[in-house]
Amino acid sequence: MEAEVECFPRLRQVLFLFCLLAQTVAEQVYIVAEERDSGSFVANLATDLGLGIRELSLRRARVILNSNKNHFQLDLQTGDLQVNEKLDREELCGSTDPCELQFQVLLEDPLEVFRFKLMVQDVNDNSPVFPEAKMTLKILENTPPGTVFPLKNAQDLDVGINTIQNYTINPNPHLDVLTHRGREGRKYPVLVLNKALDREEQNELRLTLMAVDGGAPPRSGTALVVVDVLDINDNAPEFTQPLYQVKIPENSAIGSLVVTVSARDLDTGVNGNVFYSFFYDDEDISKTFEINEITGEIKIINILDYEKTVSYEVDIKASDGAGLSGKCTVNIQVLDINDNAPEMKIAKIISHIPENAPETTVALFSIQDRDSEENGRMICSIPDDVPFFLKPSVENFYNLMANAALDREARAQYTITITVSDLGTPRLQSQHNVTVHVSDVNDNAPTFSQALYTLFVLENNSPALHIGSVSASDRDAGTNAQLTYSLLTQDQATQQPQGQGPEQVDVGALVALDAASGQLFALRALDYETLRAFEFGVRASDGGSPALSGEARVRVVLRDANDHAPRVLYPPRNGSAAGACPELVPRGAEAGYVVSKVVAVDGDSGRNAWLSYELLQATEPGLFGVWAHSGEVRTARPVSERDAPQQRLLVQVRDHGEPPLSASVALHVLLVDGFSQPYLPRPDAPAGQAGQAGAEALTVSLVVALAAVSSLFLASVLALVAARLCGRGGAGAGAVAVGSGCGVSVAEGRFFPAGAGCGGVGPLVDVGGAGTLSQSYQYEVCVSGGSGTGEFKFMKPIIPDLPPPFSGKELEENPDFRNSFPFS
């Protein structure tokens, strides 16, 4: 249902009438004479409105008339209302008196309407004019004195005092003229017979009839009246009724019968034949109606228009064949039909309004309907589904206003249909569409598609590499939606290499952000081992005033590349002082005997740091094997007497990167008959030197053995007791070195060869959870004294829990996985 606003307030709507009257300025009335020249002064509107000349100009005052012609103009420099074109009262108002013109003065910014009324004063600029220059009147010679003969009246377009006031005739003894006033105020002449006529004495009289108006100076018009004196015709035609009242709708078809007048004549013959005609030769009547001279039927010959002429007064003349006549009047009332749709005229329209502006005036318009009464009453309405309403202003003016702040993001354009309907039957209406565009205001901040962006970058990237992008959107439009991206550089790296905490990083030196597209680029090669991840903020700012912005976080995570080869920690590489120190293995060792362990680390992480060990070369193939995942070197079978005493093993350590990187190390093993041999030659010593050294060493060994056997035995016992007291778990925490020859050192569960020719005790290497080794390996040892050889007996290794994915449970439950290792 559309909201309807009644254009003319009803009496019972007291509140609405009070609001309307509160907005209406007291009506000013001005008087101006017609025929004034263009530019003539009418009034000073600035003074009457109580406004200054400058304010009148600043508020863009203009004059609005109900007609389409600009009869007046407003001089904004002086505030004077002036005649724009010469006024003709007769053209503007016709016979209506007084002649009133209504106009409004529209002031913009703020919007205000003032109503004025202007009276056009008549000037005696039209002379009376008779419809015929010569009128013929036939009078019987036996007509008694005092008989009245009506004459055709003159017409004067002026009104009031300037119209016809009286009629005169040139003096004569028989006839005189009297001036009579009709029902509508028109004055018409009648001839009065003062003295009987005698045809034989004078058969014709020529009289000059003069119509005089009341202007100053007066104007006049004349016509010739010819009086023919006839022989006796006893009876003149008489109408059945002197006045006919007729009402006819304005939409009557052409040819419709209005009325039939009837007159009778008591005479017979030619004197009894009656002929009908219009008494006055009025142009409007003759163009609108016709009368049948025989039947007296009056019919419509032109379209009637109530808005132009409300009524017609038609005088009908009935004449017989002898020249006698009678007169009657037909009063035709034109009934209004609802044949005019309401009209709407836009005085001001604002097609673009900013969003968030409350109760903004969009348009000012006026409505009118040329019909009358109920047919001219109007109501205005707009659809209910638009955020606008109609506010009545003065008279028939309305304001179209927004009833709340508009949101361009919800709807950017409205088309409001203003419907004006009258109350006639059937109802007529007209519609006018007003299009309103909602202008954007910067009321929406940019929003990123994600609060946190996570980007993955492979290390060792090339500079200027595109690593990702951020994206934000803004619901505004135009400049308010043009986004510019920037970095927030005051951030910390979220992750550093192991053992280091967060520290300040210069994000601007690491990445660059394209301000227009939001694309991120790495400015230099990144190193995973130096900086594993860093986080920074980005901002998106729009182009509004003031500018709004939104922020998001970007986390760059580096992915490790296999750029570090494994590094062997034990045994030391060739070139060190203990590089050729061999591992000692008793010849009675069984299969699975732990010879040594190759310890290696990798600077990479993940799969790139998963290490596997492989035996590439061996002096005795099949004698030794390497545990693929721990690097332990064990005997693959029992050691026999036939095996060479010096064994060289080449072990390769390889990671699981793409492509895989590897390193190799040589391990020297000596097969001994227990650990009682006094001297063990270096693997690379010449044969002659070895024999000579052996002889000298034998003598020294015998002397030293006798002196040290007691202390050695005592030290061994003390060490054994201490190890038992501290527990098996703590046995690997200390380091023991026994003997003056090549013996074995125990340091945190690992064995290193030491003795003569080795330069002292071999280096102790910490592999307890460092590098790629996540667990410590411990062994139980038993030291036997009394022999003087410093012999160790390897009881059994304590295998720790394997790190994922190589757990002990997997070895037990997965035979295939367990069989992939050379030893169980």
Side-chain angles (χ1 to χ4, degrees):
M1 179 183 291
E2 297 183 342
E4 297 186 345
V5 181
E6 191 165 344
C7 299
F8 295 99
R10 302 178 185 273
L11 293 179
R12 67 175 181 271
Q13 295 174 326
V14 178
L15 180 60
F16 177 79
L17 179 60
F18 174 77
C19 295
L20 184 60
L21 291 177
Q23 300 180 36
T24 306
V25 181
E27 188 177 75
Q28 296 281 348
V29 179
Y30 300 115
I31 299 176
V32 61
E34 66 172 331
E35 303 299 330
R36 294 282 296 275
D37 293 333
S38 177
S40 298
F41 174 81
V42 178
N44 188 278
L45 293 180
T47 303
D48 295 340
L49 294 177
L51 302 175
I53 300 301
R54 178 174 175 81
E55 184 178 0
L56 198 67
S57 178
L58 290 176
R59 295 183 65 180
R60 299 190 295 277
R62 55 191 173 102
V63 176
I64 300 177
L65 287 102
N66 293 335
S67 63
N68 293 327
K69 294 185 179 181
N70 296 326
H71 299 294
F72 304 96
Q73 62 183 1
L74 178 60
D75 188 350
L76 296 179
Q77 302 299 323
T78 61
D80 293 340
L81 179 66
Q82 300 173 349
V83 176
N84 188 40
E85 58 184 22
K86 186 175 291 188
L87 300 177
D88 187 356
R89 193 208 64 79
E90 290 72 31
E91 180 182 350
L92 293 174
C93 300
S95 60
T96 304
D97 187 36
C99 181
E100 297 180 355
L101 296 180
Q102 292 185 351
F103 68 94
Q104 294 82 28
V105 175
L106 175 65
L107 300 179
E108 302 182 13
D109 195 20
L111 190 63
E112 197 169 1
V113 179
F114 298 90
R115 180 185 173 198
F116 295 91
K117 181 184 292 184
L118 191 140
M119 310 282 291
V120 181
Q121 194 175 42
D122 185 47
V123 174
N124 191 22
D125 56 346
N126 292 281
S127 298
V129 176
F130 284 93
E132 295 179 359
K134 179 181 178 181
M135 292 181 285
T136 301
L137 185 63
K138 296 180 179 182
I139 302 176
L140 292 173
E141 61 179 336
N142 64 343
T143 301
T147 304
V148 176
F149 302 93
L151 299 175
K152 293 182 179 180
N153 64 308
Q155 296 181 356
D156 194 331
L157 296 179
D158 295 323
V159 295
I161 194 64
N162 294 325
T163 191
I164 298 173
Q165 298 299 317
N166 64 342
Y167 293 88
T168 63
I169 198 170
N170 56 311
N172 67 90
H174 297 281
L175 296 170
D176 195 7
V177 66
L178 297 178
T179 303
H180 286 188
R181 181 184 295 271
R183 295 181 57 189
E184 294 184 354
R186 291 188 301 177
K187 295 180 179 180
Y188 59 90
V190 293
L191 281 177
V192 179
L193 182 63
N194 295 327
K195 182 180 178 181
L197 298 174
D198 187 355
R199 184 178 182 280
E200 289 70 25
E201 197 177 288
Q202 188 178 5
N203 63 353
E204 182 183 82
L205 298 176
R206 286 182 173 267
L207 306 174
T208 301
L209 179 63
M210 178 182 293
V212 182
D213 62 24
R219 290 175 176 264
S220 63
T222 61
L224 177 62
V225 178
V226 177
V227 178
D228 290 336
V229 181
L230 303 177
D231 283 336
I232 296 175
N233 184 11
D234 297 301
N235 297 287
E238 293 182 1
F239 284 93
T240 57
Q241 60 186 79
L243 177 65
Y244 291 83
Q245 295 281 357
V246 181
K247 294 182 179 180
I248 184 169
E250 63 173 326
N251 64 342
S252 298
I254 295 176
S256 299
L257 177 65
V258 178
V259 70
T260 301
V261 295
S262 176
R264 62 181 179 175
D265 194 323
L266 297 178
D267 295 324
T268 59
V270 176
N271 294 332
N273 295 332
V274 179
F275 301 94
Y276 299 95
S277 64
F278 292 122
F279 198 90
Y280 303 116
D281 191 12
D282 187 278
E283 184 178 3
D284 287 341
I285 294 176
S286 62
K287 287 183 178 180
T288 308
F289 305 97
E290 68 175 0
I291 185 169
N292 189 308
E293 64 178 4
I294 303 300
T295 63
E297 292 180 345
I298 301 176
K299 293 184 178 181
I300 300 173
I301 61 173
N302 202 353
I303 296 175
L304 301 179
D305 190 352
Y306 173 86
E307 287 70 37
K308 291 183 178 180
T309 306
V310 177
S311 64
Y312 297 90
E313 188 173 293
V314 183
D315 292 328
I316 306 300
K317 178 182 178 181
S319 303
D320 59 18
L324 296 182
S325 63
K327 176 177 174 284
C328 75
T329 301
V330 179
N331 193 320
I332 303 174
Q333 295 288 332
V334 181
L335 300 179
D336 183 39
I337 299 299
N338 192 25
D339 59 345
N340 291 281
E343 299 175 357
M344 184 174 67
K345 184 183 295 184
I346 300 292
K348 180 181 179 181
I349 185 168
I350 302 174
S351 59
H352 290 79
I353 60 175
E355 62 177 330
N356 303 333
E359 292 198 4
T360 304
T361 299
V362 176
L364 173 67
F365 63 93
S366 62
I367 59 175
Q368 64 178 0
D369 194 317
R370 293 190 298 164
D371 294 322
S372 62
E373 298 181 355
E374 288 298 312
N375 296 331
R377 296 174 63 86
M378 297 168 288
I379 54 174
C380 298
S381 63
I382 60 174
D384 292 334
D385 58 351
V386 294
F388 297 89
F389 70 98
L390 293 175
K391 181 179 181 181
S393 184
V394 296
E395 203 169 336
N396 289 335
F397 278 82
Y398 286 83
N399 288 324
L400 175 63
M401 305 184 69
N403 59 9
L406 303 179
D407 186 4
R408 190 206 63 82
E409 288 71 36
R411 188 170 178 180
Q413 177 179 312
Y414 294 89
T415 299
I416 305 104
T417 301
I418 303 175
T419 303
V420 184
S421 303
D422 59 26
L423 300 180
T425 303
R427 286 193 176 189
L428 300 180
Q429 69 178 21
S430 61
Q431 292 182 336
H432 188 87
N433 292 330
V434 176
T435 300
V436 179
H437 301 275
V438 183
S439 302
D440 185 48
V441 174
N442 193 25
D443 56 348
N444 291 279
T447 304
F448 281 91
S449 59
Q450 300 174 221
L452 175 64
Y453 294 84
T454 302
L455 308 178
F456 294 93
V457 181
L458 185 65
E459 67 170 330
N460 303 326
N461 57 282
S462 59
L465 175 69
H466 177 243
I467 62 174
S469 60
V470 295
S471 176
S473 60
D474 196 315
R475 296 180 61 199
D476 293 321
T479 305
N480 296 331
Q482 293 180 358
L483 302 183
T484 301
Y485 299 91
S486 60
L487 288 174
L488 301 178
T489 57
Q490 300 299 323
D491 291 290
Q492 287 187 339
T494 60
Q495 184 176 347
Q496 297 292 333
Q498 185 174 0
Q500 302 180 17
E503 61 181 22
Q504 291 287 342
V505 295
D506 185 4
V507 177
L510 298 179
V511 295
L513 175 62
D514 184 61
S517 64
Q519 294 183 339
L520 288 164
F521 300 89
L523 294 179
R524 60 180 177 85
L526 302 176
D527 186 9
Y528 174 84
E529 288 71 33
T530 303
L531 181 66
R532 297 193 176 184
F534 59 94
E535 185 175 319
F536 57 91
V538 292
R539 176 182 290 128
S541 303
D542 58 29
S545 179
L548 301 179
S549 63
E551 295 182 1
R553 304 293 296 175
V554 179
R555 177 176 174 83
V556 179
V557 180
L558 272 67
R559 288 179 172 172
D560 184 43
N562 192 25
D563 57 348
H564 291 82
R567 182 166 62 92
V568 178
L569 301 180
Y570 183 83
R573 306 295 296 270
N574 292 335
S576 62
C581 188
E583 303 288 344
L584 303 182
V585 177
R587 286 190 177 274
E590 298 294 332
Y593 178 86
V594 178
V595 177
S596 182
K597 180 176 181 180
V598 178
V599 180
V601 294
D602 196 311
D604 296 319
S605 65
R607 292 185 57 87
N608 296 331
W610 292 358
L611 302 181
S612 61
Y613 301 84
E614 180 182 2
L615 182 61
L616 294 180
Q617 295 180 1
T619 305
E620 291 286 345
L623 178 58
F624 298 98
V626 178
W627 190 287
H629 297 285
S630 66
E632 289 185 350
V633 180
R634 299 191 180 200
T635 55
R637 59 176 175 79
V639 179
S640 65
E641 295 294 335
R642 293 189 301 273
D643 295 326
Q646 297 180 7
Q647 299 287 331
R648 183 177 181 275
L649 308 179
L650 183 61
V651 179
Q652 183 188 60
V653 184
R654 182 175 58 191
D655 60 26
H656 287 72
E658 289 294 338
L661 302 178
S662 63
S664 60
V665 64
L667 182 67
H668 298 278
V669 179
L670 292 181
L671 302 182
V672 297
D673 295 326
F675 291 124
S676 60
Q677 289 180 268
Y679 173 73
L680 295 175
R682 292 176 57 181
D684 56 349
Q689 294 180 0
Q692 183 180 359
E696 295 177 356
L698 179 60
T699 303
V700 175
S701 299
L702 290 175
V703 176
V704 173
L706 292 176
V709 64
S710 298
S711 58
L712 178 62
F713 176 74
L714 181 59
S716 299
V717 172
L718 292 176
L720 180 61
V721 172
R724 294 298 183 184
L725 291 177
C726 294
R728 296 183 177 182
V736 180
V738 182
S740 59
C742 286
V744 178
S745 296
V746 182
E748 297 187 11
R750 291 180 301 279
F751 294 91
F752 299 92
C758 298
V761 180
L764 302 181
V765 180
D766 182 6
V767 294
T772 57
L773 302 178
S774 60
Q775 300 291 338
S776 300
Y777 290 82
Q778 300 178 353
Y779 297 87
E780 288 188 359
V781 298
C782 181
V783 182
S784 60
S787 62
T789 62
E791 181 180 356
F792 285 88
K793 183 176 182 182
F794 296 85
M795 302 297 292
K796 65 178 179 177
I798 300 176
I799 302 175
D801 294 336
L802 294 176
F806 311 112
S807 64
K809 185 177 180 181
E810 289 178 341
L811 293 176
E812 295 176 1
E813 297 178 355
N814 192 343
D816 296 334
F817 181 80
R818 185 175 65 249
N819 295 336
S820 63
F821 297 96
F823 303 104
S824 60

